[in-house]
Amino acid sequence: GRSFYSPAATGLYFSMILPSPTDRPLQAGLMTTTFAVLIGGVLKQFFPAQDFRYKWVNDIYLDNKKICGILAEAVSDAKSGMLTAVVVGIGVNVFTENYPEDIKDKAGSLLPGALTRNELAAEITKELLGFSKNLNAPELMEEYRRKSMVIGEEIYWMEKEIRKEGRAIGINESGNLIVETKEGKVILSAGEISVRKSC
């Protein structure tokens, strides 16, 4: 039910189908975090001076504004039930400048000079295809944690229309967010969180 603001000729929006690893089970929780780190690495190649950060679970931020959203979905065989592929959807604000009122303070862009959308698409595609056999790569999780904009922050999320609050204290090896609440530790495996801004 979510939309990604995508005016023509200003951003890059596409999906890729990648084969599921055959040597070990695919960990769904690691898919999106893996893609985020790989795409973040590509952006860093083009903009080495910029500090790209990851907002659990599927967003890349620059200067506290969302510039990239990622969605990943596993595809299974109807007969065997085995995972056969992963579909990853990617939206990057490249040249977008004018945003609707409700997101203008939350959304940002790369606004590059010489970089074209075709060049960015080619590099992201090459990076993801080159890594498609190792989608579970645990070594990327450390980079995801290191560049997290969530760990250590007070956050909130909605659970059955009830607002829940806590402090994000870590991300486990399966890509789940560990939250310390008044009632104890909570493990979030999916969903959308918001960082509570201090007054």
Side-chain angles (χ1 to χ4, degrees):
R2 295 282 181 173
S3 62
F4 191 91
Y5 182 64
S6 50
T10 69
L12 178 62
Y13 325 102
F14 67 105
S15 295
M16 291 180 64
I17 301 177
L18 302 171
S20 176
T22 56
D23 59 336
R24 60 194 180 285
L26 182 67
Q27 295 185 47
L30 291 180
M31 289 192 303
T32 307
T33 56
T34 294
F35 293 135
V37 173
L38 295 176
I39 295 169
V42 171
L43 298 179
K44 193 70 173 175
Q45 290 175 27
F46 286 107
F47 306 100
Q50 300 291 4
D51 185 24
F52 297 100
R53 295 279 172 170
Y54 307 118
K55 177 176 176 278
W56 188 89
V57 60
N58 58 348
D59 297 330
I60 300 178
Y61 273 61
L62 176 63
D63 297 329
N64 290 314
K65 291 189 174 183
K66 180 177 175 178
I67 60 161
C68 177
I70 304 162
L71 291 175
E73 183 175 320
V75 179
S76 59
D77 181 85
K79 292 183 179 180
S80 66
M82 297 293 291
L83 297 181
T84 57
V86 177
V87 179
V88 53
I90 302 162
V92 186
N93 296 331
V94 184
F95 307 119
T96 318
E97 291 188 82
N98 300 312
Y99 293 98
E101 192 68 25
D102 60 331
I103 63 170
K104 70 176 186 178
D105 295 327
K106 304 174 184 177
S109 286
L110 293 172
L111 293 176
L115 175 66
T116 68
R117 289 180 298 149
N118 282 343
E119 288 174 316
L120 184 58
E123 288 302 315
I124 291 176
T125 300
K126 183 170 68 174
E127 184 72 7
L128 266 58
L129 287 175
F131 223 86
S132 64
K133 298 295 184 182
N134 199 18
L135 293 180
N136 285 340
E139 64 269 19
L140 293 181
M141 181 52 66
E142 191 54 43
E143 173 66 7
Y144 187 85
R145 291 188 188 106
R146 189 176 72 83
K147 303 295 286 186
S148 170
M149 60 179 290
V150 171
I151 294 177
E153 298 292 335
E154 297 294 326
I155 66 167
Y156 66 90
W157 69 99
M158 301 302 293
E159 191 173 299
K160 296 180 180 179
E161 299 185 359
I162 298 175
R163 176 170 163 144
K164 301 285 187 174
E165 298 182 352
R167 183 172 179 268
I169 60 174
I171 300 171
N172 65 22
E173 294 303 319
S174 297
N176 301 324
L177 187 65
I178 307 169
V179 184
E180 186 73 63
T181 71
K182 292 179 180 178
E183 293 76 31
K185 288 183 182 179
V186 174
I187 305 296
L188 300 181
S189 59
E192 182 176 351
I193 65 166
S194 297
V195 176
R196 292 172 57 191
K197 294 182 180 179
S198 57
C199 298

